[in-house]
Amino acid sequence: MKYLNQFLIILGISFVGEGLKYLLPLPVPASIYGMGILFAGLMTGIIKLSAIKETGKFLIEIMPVMFVPAGVGLLTSWGLLKPLLFPVSVITVVSLVTVFAVSGRTSQFVIRREKKSGKEDLGNE
Amino acid sequence: MNDFIVNSAYAGVTISLISYALGVYLKKKFKYGFLNPLLLSIVITMVVLLGSGVDYEAYNQGAKYLSWLLTPATVCLAIPLYEQFELLKANFRAVAAGIVSGVLTSLVTVLVLSMLFGFHHQEYVTLLPKSITTAIGMGVSEELGGYVTITVAVIVITGVLGNIFGEMLCKIFRIQEPISRGIALGSSAHAIGTAKAMELGEIEGAMSSLSIAVAGILTVAGASIFASFI
C-alpha cells in the first residue's frame, strides 16, 4: 500500500496543479503549481515527508530519461530551425554560458562575503 | 515494421531506456564529459528512428508516457527543496541575487544578440524564454507572438547543453559553492540542468529546483517588458 498511497498523493497534487492552471489566467504550468503545493504541504506538516519520499525520489532519479522524447522531437522541428541555425546557435551558447557564469558567480560572491563578515563578527566578539 | 512500432506502447520507452542505459555505461567506461547519457540517448534514438524509417509520431506513441511523468517528477522537486530549506533560509540573499542576475542576463544577452543579428520581433520573442522550463517558456513565446516550435527546440537544446557542460562550466568559472552550482544550473538550463544538479548533490539539486520555479516566474514578467525593445 505504501507505494500506492505515495503515487496517489503525487498524482493528486499534479491534478490540483492542473486545476489551478485552468482557473488562474497566468502562464504558469501545472507542475510549478504542484511543486508549490507539495512544498507548502511539507512545510506546514499537512503532508509528511515519509508519505511521498520513496516514490518521489524514484521519479527524481529517472527524471533525465523523461527528456529523451522532447530531445528526439528536435527531428520534427529541424525544418523550421534550419534557416535560423547559425544565429540561434550563437545566441543559445553565448547566453547559456553568460547566464551560468553570472548567476553562479553572483551567488558565490554573496555567500563568501557573508561568510567573511560572519567570521569578522565572531572575531570582534 | 512501422506498423508494429505504431501499435506498440512500449517500443518508444524501451528504445529510450536502452539508449540511456548504454549512455550511462559508456560514460562510466570512458569518462569523457561529452559522453553524456542524455545526449547519447537522444542521438542513439534519433539514429535508430532514422535508420529503421520509424517516424517520430510512431515512436512517441510509447515515449509520450515518459514525458507524461514530467509533471509529477517536477512536483517532487519540492522534496529536496524542503529538505534543504534551512540552508536556503540562511543563504536567502545569495540565492535571490543569483537567480535575479541570471534572469536579467538571459534577457539582456538575447536582446543584444538579436539586435546584432538584425532579428525581427517574432524571432526575438521566440528566443526570449530560452533559459526557462519548457512549459512556462512555451506560454511566454505564444503570448508574445513567437514561433512556439522553435522556442521548444531551443529550450531543449539549452537544457541538454547545460546538462553536458555544467560541470565543466563550474570548473572554468570556479563556481565551487554547492548552492551557487545549483543556481547556475537551474537558472541557465532549467529542469534538464537540474537533472545534472541532482547528480552533483542534494544541495545542488534543491537550489536548482528552486531556480526553475523562480527564474520561470520572473522571466514571465521580465519577457513581457523586454518584448517591447525590438
Side-chain angles (χ1 to χ4, degrees), chain A residues 54-124:
Chain A
E54 288 80 9
T55 307
K57 299 260 165 166
F58 167 71
L59 285 171
I60 292 175
E61 193 187 308
I62 65 165
M63 198 173 178
V65 188
M66 298 174 197
F67 294 108
V68 175
V72 178
L74 294 176
L75 280 177
T76 56
S77 46
W78 176 241
L80 268 169
L81 196 58
K82 210 172 151 191
L84 291 167
L85 195 61
F86 176 69
V88 167
S89 307
V90 172
I91 293 176
T92 304
V93 172
V94 171
S95 112
L96 172 75
V97 173
T98 46
V99 173
F100 199 102
V102 170
S103 59
R105 293 293 301 195
T106 304
S107 67
Q108 183 161 281
F109 172 76
V110 178
I111 291 170
R112 294 195 169 165
R113 200 187 54 186
E114 284 178 353
K115 266 186 193 163
K116 222 171 156 187
S117 67
K119 269 183 203 148
E120 276 164 20
D121 285 349
L122 287 177
N124 292 337

Side-chain angles (χ1 to χ4, degrees), chain A residues 19-40:
Chain A
L20 284 177
K21 181 185 155 63
Y22 177 75
L23 292 172
L24 302 172
L26 301 168
V28 174
S31 58
I32 300 292
Y33 284 126
M35 191 167 147
I37 295 168
L38 179 56
F39 183 67

Side-chain angles (χ1 to χ4, degrees), chain A residues 29 69 95 105 107-108 114, chain B residues 56 130 136 173-174 176 180:
Chain A
S95 112
R105 293 293 301 195
S107 67
Q108 183 161 281
E114 284 178 353
Chain B
Y56 179 72
K130 65 167 280 297
I136 306 184
F173 296 111
R174 291 194 302 277
Q176 291 131 352
S180 307

Side-chain angles (χ1 to χ4, degrees), chain A residues 92-93 95-96, chain B residues 130-132 153-163 188-190 192-193:
Chain A
T92 304
V93 172
S95 112
L96 172 75
Chain B
K130 65 167 280 297
S131 300
I132 61 174
V154 173
I155 289 176
V156 173
I157 295 170
T158 301
V160 173
L161 289 175
N163 186 297
S188 66
H190 53 91
I192 312 183

Side-chain angles (χ1 to χ4, degrees), chain A residues 35, chain B residues 95 99 182-187 206-216:
Chain A
M35 191 167 147
Chain B
V95 173
I99 301 175
I183 287 171
L185 276 163
S187 307
M207 295 303 151
S208 193
S209 311
L210 178 71
S211 307
I212 303 175
V214 178

Side-chain angles (χ1 to χ4, degrees), chain B residues 10-162:
Chain B
Y10 299 101
V13 183
T14 310
I15 297 172
S16 308
L17 288 178
I18 290 176
S19 53
Y20 195 87
L22 188 66
V24 172
Y25 170 76
L26 286 173
K27 165 132 199 171
K28 265 197 182 140
K29 182 144 195 211
F30 297 105
K31 295 200 166 73
Y32 292 122
F34 69 88
L35 287 173
N36 174 281
L38 178 60
L39 176 72
L40 281 169
S41 177
I42 292 170
V43 171
I44 294 170
T45 308
M46 280 179 170
V47 170
V48 169
L49 292 187
L50 292 173
S52 61
V54 172
D55 47 45
Y56 179 72
E57 280 68 31
Y59 157 79
N60 207 32
Q61 278 303 317
K64 68 178 178 218
Y65 297 105
L66 279 176
S67 316
W68 181 84
L69 282 171
L70 262 178
T71 297
T74 309
V75 169
C76 292
L77 291 175
I79 298 172
L81 199 55
Y82 166 74
E83 289 175 328
Q84 303 295 336
F85 187 67
E86 287 307 313
L87 194 70
L88 170 67
K89 230 167 55 184
N91 292 284
F92 177 75
R93 274 188 292 185
V95 173
I99 301 175
V100 170
S101 67
V103 168
L104 277 177
T105 307
S106 177
L107 295 170
V108 170
T109 49
V110 174
L111 172 66
V112 171
L113 291 169
S114 294
M115 281 174 158
L116 279 177
F117 285 114
F119 273 8
H120 298 295
H121 178 79
Q122 193 169 12
E123 291 149 348
Y124 164 59
V125 295
T126 297
L127 297 183
L128 264 185
K130 65 167 280 297
S131 300
I132 61 174
T133 194
T134 323
I136 306 184
M138 277 171 74
V140 170
S141 175
E142 201 172 353
E143 186 113 342
L144 300 175
Y147 302 101
V148 178
T149 324
I150 298 185
T151 303
V152 172
V154 173
I155 289 176
V156 173
I157 295 170
T158 301
V160 173
L161 289 175

